[in-house]
């Protein structure tokens, strides 16, 4: 039986976040980095699923208050183009500080989707505290977006934690060349397992519910999510 959880929006200094926790506590945590939709309904469901798996989930809010719940996607795309890599990593590191400090978590990993998948790889290469990385269809286009000032593959090669990266074979945003560069970077490491999933026929953002009218996307998500949750449980377990 899944544990009972508590969930609510919260503040970490001036940063808005969404915290979901198993009621019986636990020593493991995950920092969630959303796709363009921000802390919308589906991201909160992801966080609650992770908490039901016995792991505390704290979600970063890239938009500082808005999400797909109340804001048109075109406006969110405008905000996306204004993100600064260094500023975002600083905010994420502050949330990690909160998780390992005030929340008292012993092991904290990071999971991200689309833009958040890219940031998960960057954060883990930047901050060696993370105990795992999950990158769902990370958005790493070629050529890079103008505001992508940090090289994702370069940072991926620095990661020391286990990494699970999930790539849709029919990704129209991230070409195969970009995926293979990330895979090569991960597999060049001397520390940290590299678990790479490729989903034939699946499209970019296949974990997003709005894309599940395509059965290939729905099936890819249904297959991947239980495996991701098990990976999270294993790598955030303080005994592992």
């Amino acid at each position: 039986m899944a544990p009972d959880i508590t969930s609510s929006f919260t503040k970490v200094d001036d940063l808005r976040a969404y915290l979901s926790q198993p009621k019986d506590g636990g020593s493991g945590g995950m920092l969630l980095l959303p796709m363009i939709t921000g802390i919308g309904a589906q991201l909160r469901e992801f966080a609650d699923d992770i908490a039901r798996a016995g792991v505390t989930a704290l979600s970063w809010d890239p938009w500082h208050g808005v999400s797909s719940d109340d804001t048109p996607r075109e406006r969110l795309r405008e905000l996306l183009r204004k993100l600064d890599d260094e500023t975002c990593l600083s905010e994420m590191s502050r949330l990690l500080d909160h998780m390992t400090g005030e929340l008292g978590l012993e092991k904290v990993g990071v999971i991200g989707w689309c833009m958040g998948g890219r940031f998960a790889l960057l954060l883990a290469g930047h901050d060696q505290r993370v105990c795992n990385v999950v990158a769902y269809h990370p958005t790493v286009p070629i050529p890079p977006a103008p505001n992508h000032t940090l090289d994702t593959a370069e940072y991926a090669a620095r990661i020391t934690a286990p990494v699970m990266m999930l790539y849709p074979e029919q990704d129209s945003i991230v070409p195969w060349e970009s995926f293979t560069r990330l895979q090569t970077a991960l597999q060049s490491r001397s520390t940290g397992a590299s678990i790479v999933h490729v989903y034939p026929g699946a499209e970019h953002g296949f974990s997003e519910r709005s894309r599940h009218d395509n059965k290939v996307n729905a099936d890819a998500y249904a297959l991947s999510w239980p495996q991701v949750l098990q990976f999270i449980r294993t790598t955030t377990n303080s005994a592992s």
Side-chain angles (χ1 to χ4, degrees):
M1 180 180 294
D4 291 335
I5 65 171
T6 60
S7 301
S8 65
F9 284 98
T10 188
K11 281 278 192 178
V12 178
D13 298 325
D14 60 334
L15 299 177
R16 178 176 179 262
Y18 179 75
L19 178 63
S20 191
Q21 296 176 289
K23 282 188 175 179
D24 58 358
S27 60
M30 291 296 292
L31 176 61
L32 278 64
L33 311 179
M35 57 186 77
I36 192 174
T37 49
I39 308 182
Q42 186 164 14
L43 191 281
R44 298 195 300 274
E45 289 178 18
F46 289 151
D48 292 349
D49 282 351
I50 290 170
R52 291 188 187 97
V55 178
T56 293
L58 185 70
S59 303
W60 171 60
D61 182 2
W63 314 135
H64 301 283
V66 301
S67 74
S68 57
D69 289 350
D70 53 21
T71 304
R73 190 165 294 226
E74 185 50 44
R75 173 56 181 157
L76 297 177
R77 290 193 185 98
E78 292 174 6
L79 295 173
L80 175 65
R81 291 190 286 269
K82 297 177 181 178
L83 284 182
D84 174 77
D85 282 350
E86 296 284 2
T87 300
C88 291
L89 289 181
S90 175
E91 290 183 359
M92 295 166 196
S93 289
R94 288 166 60 193
L95 294 178
L96 286 178
D97 291 343
H98 178 73
M99 297 177 81
T100 58
E102 285 84 349
L103 296 183
L105 300 171
E106 296 176 11
K107 285 190 172 185
V108 178
V110 60
I111 178 172
W113 296 261
C114 298
M115 75 165 193
R118 173 177 177 266
F119 275 124
L121 296 169
L122 290 176
L123 179 63
H126 169 74
D127 194 322
Q128 301 296 320
R129 288 179 293 176
V130 299
C131 69
N132 69 38
V133 185
V134 180
Y136 255 108
H137 32 73
T139 303
V140 186
I142 297 177
N147 61 335
H148 288 190
T149 56
L150 301 180
D151 186 320
T152 311
E154 178 184 333
Y155 274 71
R158 302 177 188 175
I159 299 171
T160 58
V163 178
M164 177 180 281
M165 182 172 67
L166 306 100
Y167 179 77
E169 181 261 340
Q170 287 295 317
D171 197 318
S172 61
I173 296 175
V174 182
W176 190 260
E177 176 188 353
S178 178
F179 161 70
T180 56
R181 185 166 180 260
L182 292 172
Q183 183 180 31
T184 298
L186 291 173
Q187 294 178 342
S188 72
R189 302 175 302 143
S190 59
T191 303
S194 300
I195 303 170
V196 178
H197 292 187
V198 176
Y199 294 90
E203 300 167 324
H204 185 79
F206 69 80
S207 62
E208 188 175 1
R209 188 184 303 107
S210 65
R211 299 178 184 271
H212 289 178
D213 55 343
N214 181 339
K215 186 175 184 298
V216 176
N217 293 334
D219 289 348
Y221 172 68
L223 177 63
S224 65
W225 190 233
Q227 296 180 76
V228 166
L229 291 175
Q230 185 57 49
F231 175 75
I232 289 171
R233 288 189 196 97
T234 300
T235 51
T236 58
N237 187 328
S238 58
S240 62

